[in-house]
Amino acid sequence: MRRITHYLYITMFAAIVLALAGCSVSAPADKEGEQATIAGVVDGDTVKVDYKGTEESVRLLLVDTPETKHPSLPVQPFGPEASAFAKETLTVGKEVRLEFDGPKRDKYDRLLAYLWVDGENFNCMLLEEGLARYAYIYDPPYTYQDSFEKAEAQAEEKGIGIWSIPGYVTEDGFESEAAASSSPEEPSDEPDRDCSDFDSHEQAQAFFESEGGPETDPHDLDRNNDGLACESI
């Protein structure tokens, strides 16, 4: 009886661990992933890499982050955060691996791939952090679709990132009206600040957002209007 009870506890514990695990994705073997080097970050879901002697744009498979550089759209909530997360994780010169799953290029001739960094699937990391939605499922089934769906569902349940704004995430992208209805608080009566008042970019970014950024920038901390404050710190 004790042995049965012990087995049941172990089974229940394993089930809980699996339920809590957002993206149980294993890194590919060498033969499944192709080596590349980060050359730059365009935004949260697009990066530049040196791949087989050529600089290529890579559009991350199955994820969509809010816009920061769209020619006809404003900077969207959590777009700057997704870009900052990508820049922090995918530093220039970092070795990564690309894994393809279906068509290798999109209509813009960008590579379509999962990006592995330090043994972690970066596409899935975006979903786990609430910085991307699971999207562009054109040619299923995909290798990691179950894990990606689970990671997205858990971020939504936690209400983090893009999921913190009711109605913001839709099947077609991100709803501007929902973001506007959940607009930041009115700017405070803080005295005028500049970048020299902060010790780090993170500190400046937090103040910038608390004062209404990126929609408003009363302290002129975002000089190039990319949604990021005091990037030079």
Side-chain angles (χ1 to χ4, degrees), residues 93 141 183:
S183 57

Side-chain angles (χ1 to χ4, degrees), residues 72-132:
S72 59
L73 291 174
V75 174
Q76 296 177 319
F78 293 100
E81 287 85 347
S83 295
F85 181 69
K87 290 176 181 177
E88 179 183 345
T89 308
L90 307 174
T91 53
V92 173
K94 192 169 188 64
E95 291 188 359
V96 296
R97 302 195 75 81
L98 305 178
E99 183 182 0
F100 304 103
D101 192 6
K104 193 170 182 178
R105 293 184 182 271
D106 66 8
K107 62 182 180 181
Y108 304 109
D109 201 37
R110 299 176 299 186
L111 293 172
L112 297 171
Y114 305 115
L115 195 152
W116 295 88
V117 54
D118 297 329
E120 299 289 332
N121 187 299
F122 184 73
N123 309 47
C124 192
M125 291 167 67
L126 288 168
L127 295 169
E128 288 179 316
E129 296 291 328
L131 297 175

Side-chain angles (χ1 to χ4, degrees), residues 5 9 16 23 29 31-32 40 62 74 82 90 93 98 115-116 121 124 130 135 139 144 148 163 180 190 193 207 211:
T5 302
Y9 281 142
I16 292 171
C23 240
K31 64 180 181 181
E32 295 173 324
L62 303 182
L90 307 174
L98 305 178
L115 195 152
W116 295 88
N121 187 299
C124 192
D139 190 26
Y144 306 115
F148 281 21
W163 303 103
E190 285 274 350
R193 308 284 290 273
F207 178 81
E211 292 293 291

